[in-house]
Amino acid sequence: MIAKIHSAALQGLNALPVTIEVNVTDNPQPHFDIVGLPDAAVKESQHRVNSALSSNNYNLVMKQIIVNLAPADIKKEGSGFDMPIAIGILQSVGVIQSSDFSQYMFVGELSLDGTIQPIRGALPIAIKAREMGFEALFVPEENVREAAVVNKLKVYGVKHLLDVIGFIEGTTHLEPTDINTREEFYAQQSSFSFDFDEVKGQEQVKRAFEVAAAGGHNIILIGSPGCGKSMMAKRLPSILPPLSLSESLETTQIHSVAGKIQKETSLISQRPFRSPHHTISDVALVGGGTNFLPGEICLAHNGVLFLDELPEFNKSVLETLRQPLEDRIITISRAKYNVTMPCSFMLVASMNPCPCGYHHHPTHACVCTPAQIQRYMNKISGPLMDRIDIQVEVESVPFEDIAKAPKGESSSAIRERVIKARKIQEERFANVKGIHCNAQMNTSLLHKYAKLDDASIERLRDAMKRLDLSARAYDRILKVARTIADLDGSEDIQSRHIGEAIGYRNLDRESWMEC
């Protein structure tokens, strides 16, 4: 008898339904074939399935087993087909008498003893199962919470192959996992490991982070070693606006496909913070590989991508960021697949001001020549720097100031102001598709919403000449000034807003590299 079992395969951020057809016949020369464009992990399924079945006293001696993964013209990857293949074999040989599996979908990897191991992509598979009208989905127990986020679908978490067989035959009782998604989501939104009230001094830098968070602006911190750049960057998620449910679902899908969801997690409720090492490759950063996996920029979607020691990254790796920063999506084309992934993130970068790290330091002498400083700065291309709105120089805080400084303002207080500013922007861009914050404004929107009065124009003109600001700084200053005005609750950009925005363009000053 030919058995048909429903399962699913991952294709980028989505799942593809797969029908597993199994035919078992008697043969004096037993063999096990899997067809339908399986990859190496799927082909190895025969050994895991054989061992799991024999370990539980289901012997298949003198049998010819043919497994077809339909549709047969699409590449199948991963180990999630083990459980449905085993179920199909047992149905085909008559061990499982039930003949109607049309309302069930199965995914899961088998250990040699029949224990069911976790898989990648349980959430998009659950979404596809509900979309196709399945009644129930069987997943490994470790994946059940992320899959159970999907409503109107019974999701069963199973530990062992015998649990599934017993449920089908009616000898084992399984309860579908039920999660109050909204309650869990909102309960975890305000719990952070780091808080800005732990930062002593650095009021100007904290203000720059507030402006960056309010407008979604990319930011770079320049300062000597030990001045607190990384410490403050790690606290940025605590002042960003909370994720919406739709943003959380999209973010969770990406992490599910990457296999990054923890057993206790259902929905990701806090904005991601990704901090890859500077030795990262371009594939690891943007995604791809022989079998597709999301890169760091996709894992940072709706959150923060922190690049510490920016000039130490390979220049070719940094250049791959230019298009994602502009379009907020990444399309990865390979011979075997073509995948488009969302990657809307805030870029936060940090760097030393020179190779030795002490250029402009008040007490420590710099030993670098102007040529060395120039070569160091040239590791970051103009087009990439052009996509960073805020450039802040971080100064070291003297010990006396650290010891005497009172506790700083809490992240929750800063976050309230950021949320108010973001609401203003949401209303402003309500009818503009794809624009949600000031950092995303194009030239026409900039001319419409960042108009300057005569005093502001004069102040900006004077600063451009006096500080030798480059031409590319003009639009960035206007965007940041618009955000500062929103934080101030001002409908119009005023001269003081322009003045503060000008202060956030340190690297654009032609005199910055002078000793």
Side-chain angles (χ1 to χ4, degrees), residues 54 86 99 108 122 158-159 185 236 244 254 336 349 405 428 450 509 512:
S54 61
S99 60
V158 288
K159 296 180 180 179
F185 174 68
L236 177 58
S244 66
I254 295 171
K336 294 196 294 184
R428 176 181 298 139
R509 300 200 309 267
W512 188 84

Side-chain angles (χ1 to χ4, degrees), residues 16 42-43 133 154 165 197 251 258 278 294 297 322 324 359 403 409 417 424 426 451 461 475 478:
L16 172 76
V42 180
K43 289 178 181 178
K154 293 179 182 177
I165 297 170
D197 64 4
T251 303
H278 63 258
I297 62 172
R322 287 163 56 176
H359 185 55
E409 187 178 22
R417 297 195 295 269
I424 293 172
E426 286 174 10
K451 295 178 181 177
R461 181 185 294 114
D475 283 358
L478 289 184

Side-chain angles (χ1 to χ4, degrees), residues 102-353:
S102 61
Q103 294 303 308
Y104 297 157
M105 182 179 279
F106 302 86
V107 286
E109 176 186 331
L110 289 177
S111 292
L112 299 184
D113 63 354
T115 304
I116 298 175
Q117 300 295 329
I119 58 162
R120 293 191 298 113
L123 178 54
I125 288 172
I127 292 172
K128 176 58 70 173
R130 182 185 64 180
E131 179 186 310
M132 297 187 66
F134 284 97
E135 178 186 320
L137 170 68
F138 291 83
V139 298
E141 188 180 44
E142 291 188 30
N143 297 117
V144 69
R145 289 186 63 80
E146 61 176 290
V149 166
V150 179
N151 58 12
K152 299 180 181 178
L153 176 72
K154 293 179 182 177
V155 179
Y156 296 96
V158 288
K159 296 180 180 179
H160 198 279
L161 179 62
L162 294 180
D163 296 336
V164 186
I165 297 170
F167 178 83
I168 293 170
E169 294 182 331
T171 59
T172 301
H173 178 70
L174 295 177
E175 283 289 337
T177 301
D178 185 33
I179 293 177
N180 189 328
T181 305
R182 290 180 178 273
E183 182 181 324
E184 290 200 7
F185 174 68
Y186 290 116
Q188 300 171 12
Q189 277 198 326
S190 301
S191 176
F192 296 97
S193 303
F194 303 103
D195 197 291
F196 268 104
D197 64 4
E198 301 160 348
V199 180
K200 300 289 186 73
Q202 302 290 11
E203 297 304 320
Q204 180 189 1
V205 184
K206 284 192 266 186
R207 170 63 177 177
F209 271 117
E210 179 180 341
V211 174
H217 302 287
N218 301 321
I219 181 172
I220 185 169
L221 308 175
I222 311 100
S224 57
C227 65
K229 303 185 295 294
S230 300
M231 178 190 67
M232 287 184 280
K234 290 176 182 177
R235 285 157 174 77
L236 177 58
S238 67
I239 64 172
L240 288 171
L243 284 169
S244 66
L245 266 173
S246 60
E247 286 178 324
S248 176
L249 184 61
E250 191 174 40
T251 303
T252 307
Q253 273 188 265
I254 295 171
H255 284 249
S256 176
V257 169
K260 303 290 185 182
I261 302 292
Q262 302 299 318
K263 181 180 179 180
E264 306 79 19
T265 305
S266 52
L267 274 178
I268 292 176
S269 55
Q270 295 181 2
R271 295 190 180 272
F273 181 88
R274 305 295 300 182
S275 179
H277 192 259
H278 63 258
T279 55
I280 190 172
S281 68
D282 52 353
V283 172
L285 187 66
V286 302
T290 304
N291 297 328
F292 173 78
L293 279 176
E296 289 292 330
I297 62 172
C298 299
L299 294 171
H301 179 60
N302 291 322
V304 176
L305 178 68
F306 177 48
L307 302 183
D308 199 8
E309 304 298 341
L310 188 66
E312 301 304 324
F313 283 78
N314 190 298
K315 191 164 185 177
S316 65
V317 172
L318 291 181
E319 292 306 296
T320 62
L321 289 173
R322 287 163 56 176
Q323 180 265 331
L325 282 171
E326 198 73 25
D327 299 339
R328 299 183 182 270
I329 60 170
I330 179 75
T331 299
I332 302 167
S333 299
R334 300 290 184 268
K336 294 196 294 184
Y337 57 81
N338 186 294
V339 176
T340 298
M341 297 284 288
C343 57
S344 179
F345 58 89
M346 272 186 65
L347 175 64
V348 179
S350 72
M351 60 180 289
N352 293 333

